[in-house]
Amino acid sequence: MLGIRVDGVFDGERYSGGGAVVLVEGGCVTSVLAGGAEPPAGCETVAYDGATLVPGLVDVHVHLCCDSGPAALDRIPDCSADEMVAVIEKSLADQLAAGVTAVRDLGDRSWAVVEWRAGGDRSGFPAVVASGPPITVPQGHCWNMGGAVSGPDELRRAVRERAERGADLVKVMASGGVNTPGTDPAAVQFGAEELRLVVDEARAVGLPVIAHAHSLNSIKYALAAGVDGIEHCSFLGPDGLDVDPSVVEDLVSSRTTVCPTLGARPGAVPPPAVLELMRRTGLDVETRGRLYADLYQAGVHLVSGSDAGINPGKYHGVLPESVIAMVAGGIPSTAALASATSHAAIACRLPRKGRILPGYDADLVVVPGNPLDDITALRSPAAVYLMGTRVS
């Protein structure tokens, strides 16, 4: 048995100060002893003075096939199978070093992440939830990952293939994207009826559906179809930001999860396509931060994801910056941290992750001070535990 002594614990929902010892055995949290309570005799205890223990972070939006280099999305078709495995494992190692102990991969190339997960020993790596290639239109956003389809029959086959290959969910590109030349994030790729077909087919095989949706209309269509989550949710109209209050109300009433994909390496210069979108729409970093703070205040259910891997600013392990950006935009620190722990774990269907409670996996991160007072403490983990074993 291991005891981890800290000044405070954020359990995934709330903070408790006054000192605590978290007991770990067999990869699980067995007890949380508050105040001056002493661990059982024979328990090995390690103390982190002036620190807080938080659950391992959960990034709901990553691309493990992308190496965080320039034009990473464009280059993935050039990798051999062995090179792709190396990229995936390096991506996961970088995530773990930053305190990210579970990820949801929302777009690989030709099933690389799904096959990696099924192909061998995954101990020592973060937990992985995988979608396989995103469903898109011919020459649509991320078409080079191998998920382009056309027409109802191909849409049905695409969903069934994901179930047959062991994917955990279906990712569909409801709008265009910023990083694929020739696509427009303010435009629609699939209509409401097509998205409803995807959702119905996915429900029949027990898979949730997550929609990439930047444009206002794509958000409307995704909600009408009944998707489980929306990535980006940028409310883009032809002339810039176009927040429709009725759509916000639908997001709230449906409890659809929204992942803003905020956060980037401090000082990083966005890729040219992103800079052009910001110029054209006025949707800069500060405006996006305020948008999601307004959605939070309205009651929209937010979870944290980073879009890690797609460029140098979105490096693997950047999730702390996503949480920091939420707080900078006006979201309370407790809610922001919950969005990357307990709420993210629920969104990923990982019922033993995201909390520090008896029976949960001992995925734990030690951070200096109290992150609810200074959320930037997430940038500097003092220790990372995966299933009760210290890995960083």
Side-chain angles (χ1 to χ4, degrees):
M1 179 179 290
L2 172 68
I4 302 173
R5 187 184 297 277
V6 288
D7 286 12
V9 174
F10 176 77
D11 71 359
E13 293 287 349
R14 58 189 62 84
Y15 175 83
S16 298
V21 178
V22 175
L23 302 182
V24 174
E25 190 170 27
C28 296
V29 174
T30 60
S31 186
V32 180
L33 307 179
E38 291 297 324
C43 177
E44 176 191 354
T45 303
V46 58
Y48 296 95
D49 294 334
T52 296
L53 196 64
V54 304
L57 303 181
V58 179
D59 193 330
V60 306
H61 191 138
V62 308
H63 296 283
L64 297 174
C65 285
C66 295
D67 65 5
S68 306
L73 283 169
D74 296 337
R75 291 186 289 102
I76 60 172
D78 300 329
C79 287
S80 68
D82 288 344
E83 289 170 336
M84 188 55 68
V85 168
V87 170
I88 292 168
E89 293 188 351
K90 173 65 162 55
S91 300
L92 286 168
D94 290 347
Q95 293 280 0
L96 193 56
V100 179
T101 56
V103 299
R104 185 172 69 180
D105 188 278
L106 289 184
D108 66 16
R109 184 207 71 179
S110 301
W111 310 100
V113 173
V114 175
E115 291 175 357
W116 173 88
R117 192 186 58 177
D121 182 10
R122 291 181 281 148
S123 60
F125 290 107
V128 176
V129 174
S131 71
I135 296 175
T136 189
V137 298
Q139 301 302 305
H141 185 45
C142 290
W143 66 269
N144 63 358
M145 290 181 172
V149 299
S150 179
D153 290 342
E154 291 189 7
L155 281 169
R156 290 189 184 94
R157 283 197 295 271
V159 174
R160 290 197 295 270
E161 182 178 18
R162 278 144 185 80
E164 291 163 0
R165 287 181 175 267
D168 300 292
L169 69 150
V170 174
K171 169 78 178 295
V172 60
M173 300 301 200
S175 77
V178 184
N179 292 293
T180 301
T183 73
D184 183 358
V188 167
Q189 291 196 158
F190 291 109
E193 290 186 6
E194 294 169 305
L195 292 174
R196 167 55 69 182
L197 186 156
V198 169
V199 170
D200 288 346
E201 197 73 23
R203 294 282 187 274
V205 294
L207 297 181
V209 177
I210 303 299
H212 159 110
H214 279 293
S215 68
L216 173 60
N217 282 335
S218 67
I219 298 167
K220 286 182 180 179
Y221 297 159
L223 283 168
V227 302
D228 298 275
I230 295 177
E231 303 298 298
H232 312 302
C233 202
S234 304
F235 281 93
L236 283 179
D239 302 315
L241 191 63
D242 186 8
V243 180
D244 184 334
S246 68
V247 175
V248 176
E249 290 175 4
D250 288 344
L251 283 168
V252 174
S253 63
S254 65
R255 291 296 288 169
T256 304
T257 62
V258 169
C259 173
T261 60
L262 289 170
R265 185 192 302 275
V269 177
V274 177
L275 289 172
E276 172 57 24
L277 178 71
M278 292 165 64
R279 184 202 64 77
R280 178 165 61 89
T281 64
L283 201 61
D284 57 19
V285 172
E286 290 76 17
T287 302
R288 293 188 70 222
R290 289 194 297 271
L291 165 64
Y292 299 115
D294 289 344
L295 293 181
Y296 168 79
Q297 291 295 337
V300 174
H301 183 50
L302 300 181
V303 293
S304 280
S306 64
D307 220 350
I310 62 171
N311 61 52
K314 293 283 193 177
Y315 61 94
H316 287 288
V318 75
L319 185 63
E321 298 299 336
S322 302
V323 182
I324 292 166
M326 277 190 166
V327 175
I331 295 173
S333 55
T334 300
L337 191 49
S339 79
T341 52
S342 59
H343 297 177
I346 292 169
C348 293
R349 299 190 173 187
L350 294 170
R352 291 168 59 93
K353 307 289 186 185
R355 300 296 303 272
I356 303 178
L357 295 173
Y360 279 72
D361 291 341
D363 294 347
L364 308 166
V365 182
V366 181
V367 297
N370 181 349
L372 302 185
D373 292 335
D374 179 7
I375 199 66
T376 64
L378 296 179
R379 290 173 174 157
S380 308
V384 179
Y385 292 82
L386 184 67
M387 301 295 288
T389 298
R390 183 170 177 177
V391 293
S392 175

